[in-house]
PDB file of all heavy atoms in Angstrom:
ATOM      1  N   LEU A 133      35.096 -35.840  36.334  1.00  0.00           N
ATOM      2  CA  LEU A 133      35.693 -35.443  35.065  1.00  0.00           C
ATOM      3  C   LEU A 133      37.232 -35.465  35.176  1.00  0.00           C
ATOM      4  O   LEU A 133      37.904 -35.810  34.204  1.00  0.00           O
ATOM      5  CB  LEU A 133      35.159 -34.099  34.588  1.00  0.00           C
ATOM      6  CG  LEU A 133      33.761 -34.110  34.010  1.00  0.00           C
ATOM      7  CD1 LEU A 133      33.247 -32.706  33.811  1.00  0.00           C
ATOM      8  CD2 LEU A 133      33.706 -34.872  32.709  1.00  0.00           C
ATOM      9  N   GLN A 134      37.727 -35.082  36.291  1.00  0.00           N
ATOM     10  CA  GLN A 134      39.208 -35.119  36.506  1.00  0.00           C
ATOM     11  C   GLN A 134      39.694 -36.565  36.558  1.00  0.00           C
ATOM     12  O   GLN A 134      40.772 -36.892  36.039  1.00  0.00           O
ATOM     13  CB  GLN A 134      39.596 -34.333  37.725  1.00  0.00           C
ATOM     14  CG  GLN A 134      39.477 -32.848  37.514  1.00  0.00           C
ATOM     15  CD  GLN A 134      39.820 -32.014  38.739  1.00  0.00           C
ATOM     16  OE1 GLN A 134      39.683 -32.494  39.880  1.00  0.00           O
ATOM     17  NE2 GLN A 134      40.219 -30.767  38.516  1.00  0.00           N
ATOM     18  N   GLU A 135      38.931 -37.451  37.186  1.00  0.00           N
ATOM     19  CA  GLU A 135      39.313 -38.886  37.268  1.00  0.00           C
ATOM     20  C   GLU A 135      39.347 -39.491  35.871  1.00  0.00           C
ATOM     21  O   GLU A 135      40.258 -40.202  35.476  1.00  0.00           O
ATOM     22  CB  GLU A 135      38.382 -39.632  38.182  1.00  0.00           C
ATOM     23  CG  GLU A 135      38.565 -39.298  39.625  1.00  0.00           C
ATOM     24  CD  GLU A 135      37.470 -39.864  40.544  1.00  0.00           C
ATOM     25  OE1 GLU A 135      36.522 -40.508  40.050  1.00  0.00           O
ATOM     26  OE2 GLU A 135      37.539 -39.610  41.772  1.00  0.00           O
ATOM     27  N   ILE A 136      38.295 -39.180  35.073  1.00  0.00           N
ATOM     28  CA  ILE A 136      38.215 -39.709  33.705  1.00  0.00           C
ATOM     29  C   ILE A 136      39.385 -39.138  32.881  1.00  0.00           C
ATOM     30  O   ILE A 136      40.054 -39.845  32.121  1.00  0.00           O
ATOM     31  CB  ILE A 136      36.879 -39.364  33.030  1.00  0.00           C
ATOM     32  CG1 ILE A 136      35.754 -40.108  33.759  1.00  0.00           C
ATOM     33  CG2 ILE A 136      36.877 -39.731  31.541  1.00  0.00           C
ATOM     34  CD1 ILE A 136      34.337 -39.653  33.394  1.00  0.00           C
ATOM     35  N   GLY A 137      39.616 -37.827  33.074  1.00  0.00           N
ATOM     36  CA  GLY A 137      40.775 -37.161  32.361  1.00  0.00           C
ATOM     37  C   GLY A 137      42.083 -37.797  32.698  1.00  0.00           C
ATOM     38  O   GLY A 137      42.941 -37.938  31.849  1.00  0.00           O
ATOM     39  N   ALA A 138      42.280 -38.112  33.972  1.00  0.00           N
ATOM     40  CA  ALA A 138      43.551 -38.735  34.388  1.00  0.00           C
ATOM     41  C   ALA A 138      43.725 -40.115  33.714  1.00  0.00           C
ATOM     42  O   ALA A 138      44.809 -40.505  33.237  1.00  0.00           O
ATOM     43  CB  ALA A 138      43.591 -38.900  35.908  1.00  0.00           C
ATOM     44  N   ARG A 139      42.638 -40.907  33.595  1.00  0.00           N
ATOM     45  CA  ARG A 139      42.690 -42.163  32.944  1.00  0.00           C
ATOM     46  C   ARG A 139      42.966 -41.990  31.424  1.00  0.00           C
ATOM     47  O   ARG A 139      43.745 -42.731  30.838  1.00  0.00           O
ATOM     48  CB  ARG A 139      41.402 -42.947  33.123  1.00  0.00           C
ATOM     49  CG  ARG A 139      41.323 -43.598  34.487  1.00  0.00           C
ATOM     50  CD  ARG A 139      40.260 -44.665  34.589  1.00  0.00           C
ATOM     51  NE  ARG A 139      38.910 -44.242  34.434  1.00  0.00           N
ATOM     52  CZ  ARG A 139      38.188 -43.593  35.352  1.00  0.00           C
ATOM     53  NH1 ARG A 139      38.717 -43.406  36.550  1.00  0.00           N
ATOM     54  NH2 ARG A 139      36.956 -43.265  35.115  1.00  0.00           N
ATOM     55  N   MET A 140      42.378 -40.948  30.858  1.00  0.00           N
ATOM     56  CA  MET A 140      42.619 -40.684  29.437  1.00  0.00           C
ATOM     57  C   MET A 140      44.090 -40.317  29.220  1.00  0.00           C
ATOM     58  O   MET A 140      44.719 -40.776  28.254  1.00  0.00           O
ATOM     59  CB  MET A 140      41.729 -39.509  28.933  1.00  0.00           C
ATOM     60  CG  MET A 140      40.307 -39.975  28.709  1.00  0.00           C
ATOM     61  SD  MET A 140      39.153 -38.631  28.327  1.00  0.00           S
ATOM     62  CE  MET A 140      40.076 -37.542  27.350  1.00  0.00           C
ATOM     63  N   GLN A 141      44.684 -39.602  30.135  1.00  0.00           N
ATOM     64  CA  GLN A 141      46.097 -39.189  29.963  1.00  0.00           C
ATOM     65  C   GLN A 141      46.985 -40.443  30.081  1.00  0.00           C
ATOM     66  O   GLN A 141      47.979 -40.541  29.358  1.00  0.00           O
ATOM     67  CB  GLN A 141      46.484 -38.142  31.017  1.00  0.00           C
ATOM     68  CG  GLN A 141      45.943 -36.774  30.651  1.00  0.00           C
ATOM     69  CD  GLN A 141      46.275 -35.728  31.718  1.00  0.00           C
ATOM     70  OE1 GLN A 141      46.060 -35.962  32.883  1.00  0.00           O
ATOM     71  NE2 GLN A 141      46.716 -34.581  31.258  1.00  0.00           N
ATOM     72  N   GLU A 142      46.636 -41.390  30.985  1.00  0.00           N
ATOM     73  CA  GLU A 142      47.385 -42.633  31.051  1.00  0.00           C
ATOM     74  C   GLU A 142      47.259 -43.450  29.771  1.00  0.00           C
ATOM     75  O   GLU A 142      48.255 -43.992  29.253  1.00  0.00           O
ATOM     76  CB  GLU A 142      46.919 -43.464  32.235  1.00  0.00           C
ATOM     77  CG  GLU A 142      47.217 -42.904  33.579  1.00  0.00           C
ATOM     78  CD  GLU A 142      46.570 -43.656  34.698  1.00  0.00           C
ATOM     79  OE1 GLU A 142      46.066 -44.814  34.491  1.00  0.00           O
ATOM     80  OE2 GLU A 142      46.483 -43.124  35.819  1.00  0.00           O
TER      81      GLU A 142
END
Side-chain angles (χ1 to χ4, degrees):
L133 284 169
Q134 287 178 333
E135 289 169 359
I136 294 168
R139 282 196 295 282
M140 284 172 37
Q141 286 178 312
E142 289 172 17

